[in-house]
Amino acid sequence: MSLPSHANISWCLCAGQAVFLDLERDRYFCLPEPLDAIFQRWAAGEAIDWDAHAALVDAAVAGADPTQRPQAVSFPVARRDLAHAGPGRAAWISAQAIFGQLRAKHWLRRRPLAKILRGLLTPAAPAVRSPGEASLQAIAGAFATSAMVLPAADQCLPRAIAAARLCWHRGLDAALILGVRLHPFAAHSWVQSGDAVVVGDLEQVRLYTPILVLR
């Protein structure tokens, strides 16, 4: 997991405003407008005075070294949805999709999100992952089918966790992404490989800006 060392904060620029994810505290937040402007100038490489930097440190969005600027999260724009692009899927993959979601829901009830996400990256996996689009299509189709058994509405996080885990255990190149939007604020989770959404619905994904990417 690629996160800044200070307080496990990741961030993105959304609708012209910096939005932060404090993974340890499982919360999203923004800065007051004047401080947001200072942060954006500093993150873009502009020098700021010590008082301004101290204010960013107090807000937990900067570390002690003013030269260590956290990079905004980015990922290729999603343009395709594999759930609608592939042939049928094996029944056993659909069963894995259902079981994986039930397990992810159980984890989310009992464990902090940061611990769950870090745990996803610990199992042994191939050093180089395969694009494997046919396999990704099968997984996408399996999760689409699973929605007939497990309602998908408001379940994007357990679905994304289960799908990412299945992709990674099969050595597939996919990323688990958490995204945000503003006005009104909302968050979404999905799995994406290159420009293709595996699980998460392309039309929904297009509304969100990635704030955390795990792969």
Side-chain angles (χ1 to χ4, degrees):
M1 185 184 303
S2 177
L3 290 174
S5 58
H6 53 280
N8 291 316
I9 301 292
S10 60
W11 73 281
C12 67
L13 196 62
C14 183
Q17 187 170 6
V19 183
F20 300 86
L21 169 59
D22 183 340
L23 190 62
E24 290 297 334
R25 294 176 175 81
D26 192 15
R27 74 181 185 104
Y28 298 93
F29 66 96
C30 295
L31 299 173
E33 187 173 339
L35 194 56
D36 178 74
I38 292 171
F39 174 83
Q40 290 194 42
R41 294 201 310 271
W42 173 68
E46 182 179 322
I48 58 176
D49 61 40
W50 284 103
D51 287 342
H53 181 257
L56 295 180
V57 173
D58 289 343
V61 297
D65 184 350
T67 66
Q68 296 297 312
R69 297 174 169 87
Q71 297 297 308
V73 171
S74 64
F75 201 75
V77 174
R79 303 184 187 281
R80 300 180 293 137
D81 195 329
L82 295 184
H84 308 301
R89 71 287 313 169
W92 68 270
I93 300 181
S94 295
Q96 284 193 328
I98 293 170
F99 178 74
Q101 291 173 74
L102 293 173
R103 177 169 47 197
K105 290 179 182 181
H106 175 76
W107 288 345
L108 288 165
R109 286 194 296 267
R110 294 176 175 270
R111 305 179 191 177
L113 179 60
K115 184 175 182 179
I116 294 171
L117 296 184
R118 290 195 179 93
L120 291 177
L121 303 182
T122 55
V128 178
R129 289 178 176 153
S130 165
E133 185 151 320
S135 296
L136 290 169
Q137 286 180 355
I139 290 172
F143 275 82
T145 299
S146 75
M148 295 187 291
V149 178
L150 296 175
D154 300 321
Q155 297 297 317
C156 64
L157 185 54
R159 283 172 61 81
I161 288 172
R165 191 171 187 272
L166 184 55
C167 288
W168 296 340
H169 277 241
R170 294 174 63 83
L172 299 171
D173 183 18
L176 170 60
I177 304 175
L178 275 62
V180 294
R181 70 178 184 185
L182 296 176
H183 315 305
F185 175 83
H188 185 49
S189 307
W190 67 95
V191 174
Q192 185 174 330
S193 181
D195 67 349
V197 174
V198 181
V199 171
D201 184 64
L202 177 61
E203 295 307 313
Q204 282 292 312
V205 167
R206 284 173 168 163
L207 301 175
Y208 293 84
T209 301
I211 195 171
L212 180 66
V213 175
L214 283 73
R215 58 188 312 177

